[in-house]
Structure formats: structure tokens, C-alpha cells
Amino acid sequence: VVEKSQHRLSLYHQGSLLRSYLIALGEQPVGDKVRIGDKRTPEGLFRIEARNPASVYHRSLKISYPDAAHRARARSLGVSPGGDIMIHGLPARQAWVGAAHRDFDWTEGCIAVTNEEIEEIWSVVPVGIPILIKP
């Protein structure tokens, strides 16, 4: 579960909280993602659809955005909904920043954690698991 307003990602197993992480979001964290380039993190119920062990951002878990509703809204506006929304770590050249990366929202719409944290998340989150992103 991601709570954007709290800048928090929480992992649950059978309804019990396992661990929470503080996160950085897209540069425009308030509101749902509408189009490519709006720098917003999407809101809704998605799934983890892929894992990238060799991501530019250390490791990444791909979120199944855009869903049908986001595609339809973007189509009605005549824009692309964007894509490639991930939970990821930090790029190698900025890994030294560590937890300080959370001092401001800096992604294009992704959910960022430290490299150590993405390693932990990576070890317990399989492809197919649901992810709820709340405002």
C-alpha cells in the first residue's frame, strides 16, 4: 500500500504490517496521473507486473499502470497516459545520497526508496501481487 500524502509504502502479509518505508514520489505528488510528463504518481489498484534486476535505478518493480480507466481518460483528453511506473532504488551516481533522497519529490511519477530498501522489497514482493496507491 502506498499512501502518497504520507510518503509511505507499507508491505503487508495476510493483513499484518511487515514493514513501512518512507518514499519519494513524482515531482507533482498531489493528484492522479493523467498524462505522460505530468510528473504525477498514479492512484488506484494495480499489480506488480515485472521485475528488473539491472535497472538504471538499481532494481525496479514495474507497476501495471496505465489500467483501462487511466487509458480511457487519457484517450478522452487526446493525450498519452504514459507508463513505466516503477518502485525503484537510486541510480548508481546518486546512491551515496541514501535516505536524503526523500527530502523532496524527484521522480517522473515513480516511487523511490534507497537501494538497501529496494533490495528488501525485491526479496518479498513477487510479480502479480496487488499494489494500492492512495492519494
Side-chain angles (χ1 to χ4, degrees):
V1 175
V2 172
E3 296 166 277
K4 290 171 46 176
S5 64
Q6 301 297 312
H7 283 78
R8 182 173 49 223
L9 180 152
S10 299
L11 299 180
Y12 292 87
H13 179 68
Q14 297 180 346
S16 296
L17 178 65
L18 293 178
R19 175 102 194 258
S20 288
Y21 304 88
L22 294 176
I23 58 175
L25 299 166
E27 289 180 34
Q28 301 296 323
V30 177
D32 193 7
K33 185 161 193 65
V34 174
R35 65 183 65 190
I36 192 169
D38 66 9
K39 299 184 186 252
R40 290 184 177 163
T41 302
E43 298 169 358
L45 181 60
F46 306 98
R47 294 203 171 273
I48 299 299
E49 66 178 12
R51 297 161 59 92
N52 182 354
S55 170
V56 171
Y57 295 91
H58 190 64
R59 293 192 189 279
S60 62
L61 298 168
K62 187 172 188 324
I63 296 171
S64 63
Y65 173 88
D67 58 13
H70 285 93
R71 282 192 302 274
R73 181 171 53 185
R75 187 171 38 256
S76 75
L77 296 170
V79 298
S80 168
D84 289 332
I85 302 298
M86 315 278 178
I87 301 170
H88 62 66
L90 304 174
R93 70 184 184 281
Q94 295 169 323
W96 62 272
V97 172
H101 84 94
R102 299 185 292 245
D103 289 349
F104 62 96
D105 290 312
W106 57 271
T107 77
E108 294 289 319
C110 293
I111 298 160
V113 294
T114 68
N115 289 352
E116 294 79 15
E117 291 167 338
I118 194 62
E119 290 287 342
E120 288 179 11
I121 296 165
W122 179 271
S123 72
V124 297
V125 174
V127 169
I129 199 159
I131 176 171
L132 177 60
I133 305 175
K134 298 172 157 185

